[in-house]
Amino acid sequence: MAATVHSPIVTYASMLSLLAFCPPFVILLWYTMVHQDGSVIQTCSFLWENGVQGLINIWPSPTAIAWKIIFCYGAFEAALQLLLPGKRVEGPISPTGNRPVYKANGMAAYFVTLATYLGLWWFGIFNPAIVYDHLGEIFSALIFGSLVFCVLLYIKGHVAPSSSDSGSCGNLIIDFYWGMELYPRIGKNFDIKVFTNCRFGMMSWAVLAVTYCIKQYEINGKVSDSMLVNTILMLVYVTKFFWWEAGYWNTMDIAHDRAGFYICWGCLVWVPSIYTSPGMYLVNHPVQLGTQLAIYILVAGCLCIYINYDCDRQRQEFRRTNGKCSVWGKAPSKIVATYTTTAGETKTSLLLTSGWWGLARHFHYVPEISSAFFWTVPALFNNFLPYFYVIFLTILLFDRAKRDDDRCRSKYGKYWKLYCEKVKYRIIPGVY
Ligand code: NDP
């Protein structure tokens, strides 16, 4: 059975509001960044004067060139996912006892993608600035195309599920929204969630960061230090992601959240448009920070990305070695937690209670949010909109921490209670 994460009423409300507000928000954010100087006030007064018709007028049609760019990019990434060599990696055991197997070739795909993109530019075959020039049409095509993709996922979940980690909760809307399959695949090897989340979504983040930089260079004949700091930090973050991609396959997104509208539409549309938005803003706002300030921001951002990586690494190393590792130079303190799978088997997991995981139960979200702040702050404080991603991420991660706590409480029962007594704070040590 598909796990319903929130009550049906919350799911209906969030699904309807995501469906109703996210697509226009993506278009309005792009329009404000690119055509209204990043000013929310200017866009609001435009909408005030022109109403819904104004929104319809600015909504770009998905043009042939937009579809071509998306198709070429998607097909290229799918081919890399299938064809590049990689180590065989096993994911965590699923609730019904399956263990998904992956090919870990994310880092290779990342380098091939960036090298190809820069190569196409360098040799004059394709100008990345074209992507920026057609960004509205691309987002518009992604909005509609991804919705159709999610409908197909829903149908696949019903008629051709890839594994026993699939099922309906009996409610069409919840099935569509939260998804039916945990590990949908095409054939035996093409993992759909690896494609949507990693190779399309996360990869597009790096590709668009580079695109914005090149576009600013094309407009001004040079790249501002603020754009450089933003692009470097985003690339460091995405490089970290692909370096650790096999670890990502153990996280909630892959191991717990099913392939539905929530995760797939989010990765196909929200990540390329919203996550990259501070860079989109900087294209026509070439702020000069000065070398000293630029270096301070760069170092602080890199430090946060490193700490976030180290939190994930610490937890996964602890699990991989069955607790026989060193955490901050000492043997780790832990809770041995037993739980029962849906098949009725009793299993054991270890919960780390020292190191980063002893500070708070989701401390890793603090450096995640701080990194986002540091790649946004080069935009300084003339406009609010570049900070939207940081605010959105804070809300997302606070909700995620609660969802994860609820899930772990029902999985581990008294052992989770014990963990909460030992590690009292949810995210910010001493505060929350
Ligand atoms: P994880 O899935 O990596 O960690 C939570 C899981 O770890 C829990 O479900 C539980 O799973 C296990 N766990 C919990 N506590 C412990 C413990 N003390 N010791 C050992 N295992 C424990 O979290 P996320 O998926 O939320 O985050 C992964 C990364 O992705 C982070 O770096 C995060 O910042 C990033 N992220 C970024 C987002 C973005 O939009 N930018 C969004 C979400 C995440 P189990 O059932 O195995 O016990």
Side-chain angles (χ1 to χ4, degrees):
M1 286 290 284
T4 51
V5 187
H6 289 304
S7 66
I9 194 85
V10 173
T11 301
Y12 291 139
S14 45
M15 157 115 190
L16 289 177
S17 42
L18 278 184
L19 268 174
F21 298 120
C22 288
F25 187 85
V26 166
I27 297 300
L28 285 172
L29 181 122
W30 157 80
Y31 173 75
T32 311
M33 295 294 197
V34 175
H35 296 293
Q36 293 289 4
D37 207 23
S39 164
V40 178
I41 297 172
Q42 273 175 228
T43 297
C44 285
S45 60
F46 170 81
L47 288 177
W48 183 255
E49 280 164 28
N50 299 282
V52 178
Q53 190 54 45
L55 177 61
I56 294 168
N57 291 347
I58 60 170
W59 197 303
S61 300
T63 51
I65 183 155
W67 286 118
K68 225 192 275 178
I69 290 171
I70 295 169
F71 179 78
C72 289
Y73 168 69
F76 186 66
E77 291 309 323
L80 294 184
Q81 183 177 334
L82 270 177
L83 301 177
L84 284 177
K87 233 173 61 189
R88 181 184 183 278
V89 173
E90 292 187 345
I93 298 180
S94 71
T96 59
N98 296 320
R99 198 186 266 284
V101 174
Y102 301 99
K103 184 158 68 165
N105 58 8
M107 200 63 184
Y110 176 63
F111 279 119
V112 172
T113 300
L114 286 188
T116 307
Y117 198 53
L118 291 171
L120 291 175
W121 177 51
W122 188 256
F123 292 110
I125 300 166
F126 177 78
N127 183 0
I130 293 174
V131 175
Y132 178 85
D133 298 337
H134 294 273
L135 207 53
E137 297 147 47
I138 292 174
F139 289 155
S140 180
L142 278 178
I143 287 169
F144 295 114
S146 305
L147 198 61
V148 172
F149 183 82
C150 294
V151 172
L152 294 177
L153 274 181
Y154 170 79
I155 296 170
K156 179 182 174 320
H158 268 294
V159 300
S162 299
S163 78
S164 52
D165 285 302
S166 173
S168 164
C169 69
N171 180 309
L172 184 147
I173 295 185
I174 295 177
D175 282 348
F176 175 76
Y177 183 77
W178 283 118
M180 307 248 324
E181 292 191 76
L182 189 57
Y183 297 116
R185 292 201 164 184
I186 297 174
K188 194 164 167 271
N189 294 323
F190 190 77
D191 190 284
I192 293 179
K193 268 163 77 186
V194 169
F195 177 74
T196 54
N197 298 24
C198 307
R199 308 308 172 79
F200 195 100
M202 291 303 290
M203 197 73 80
S204 72
W205 192 346
V207 169
L208 285 173
V210 171
T211 302
Y212 299 149
C213 217
I214 290 174
K215 180 65 192 180
Q216 196 189 64
Y217 179 74
E218 190 181 273
I219 297 172
N220 299 325
K222 61 180 181 170
V223 179
S224 63
D225 53 12
S226 53
M227 180 59 109
L228 271 182
V229 172
N230 170 269
T231 311
I232 293 172
L233 283 179
M234 283 187 173
L235 288 181
V236 170
Y237 181 87
V238 181
T239 311
K240 176 220 76 161
F241 175 84
F242 282 107
W243 172 259
W244 164 83
E245 191 193 41
Y248 174 69
W249 297 333
N250 291 295
T251 69
M252 276 175 78
D253 282 2
I254 300 289
H256 305 301
D257 287 343
R258 288 167 183 242
F261 176 83
Y262 174 79
I263 200 98
C264 292
W265 196 90
C267 289
L268 294 171
V269 185
W270 202 248
V271 171
S273 56
I274 307 300
Y275 285 39
T276 67
S277 60
M280 201 194 303
Y281 172 84
L282 285 169
V283 170
N284 38 27
H285 297 87
V287 179
Q288 279 303 335
L289 301 169
T291 311
Q292 204 177 16
L293 182 58
I295 289 174
Y296 283 153
I297 298 174
L298 193 62
V299 171
C302 286
L303 190 67
C304 290
I305 295 171
Y306 172 75
I307 295 174
N308 173 255
Y309 163 77
D310 200 49
C311 295
D312 291 329
R313 186 203 57 78
Q314 199 172 66
R315 179 179 81 81
Q316 279 165 9
E317 188 61 9
F318 167 77
R319 281 271 172 99
R320 192 185 63 78
T321 59
N322 215 2
K324 291 181 185 64
C325 60
S326 142
V327 170
W328 289 357
K330 283 192 264 179
S333 86
K334 58 180 184 277
I335 291 171
V336 181
T338 55
Y339 65 96
T340 312
T341 65
T342 47
E345 282 177 84
T346 302
K347 295 214 178 273
T348 302
S349 281
L350 296 184
L351 297 172
L352 176 61
T353 58
S354 59
W356 300 115
W357 295 81
L359 297 181
R361 299 194 295 280
H362 304 273
F363 176 76
H364 56 326
Y365 294 158
V366 174
E368 174 85 35
I369 295 166
S370 313
S371 328
F373 173 78
F374 284 117
W375 66 60
T376 306
V377 81
L380 300 181
F381 300 101
N382 291 336
N383 278 306
F384 153 79
L385 203 54
Y387 292 86
F388 174 78
Y389 171 64
V390 186
I391 295 164
F392 155 79
L393 185 70
T394 308
I395 297 168
L396 175 89
L397 293 182
F398 274 66
D399 171 65
R400 192 180 174 93
K402 188 185 171 309
R403 279 206 298 134
D404 194 44
D405 270 10
D406 291 348
R407 197 188 63 78
C408 289
R409 190 173 305 110
S410 70
K411 179 174 175 181
Y412 296 121
K414 63 179 182 198
Y415 299 104
W416 190 257
K417 203 166 160 245
L418 193 65
Y419 179 39
C420 294
E421 279 161 18
K422 259 186 126 170
V423 182
K424 290 199 170 50
Y425 294 99
R426 189 177 270 166
I427 298 179
I428 308 170
V431 179
Y432 173 76

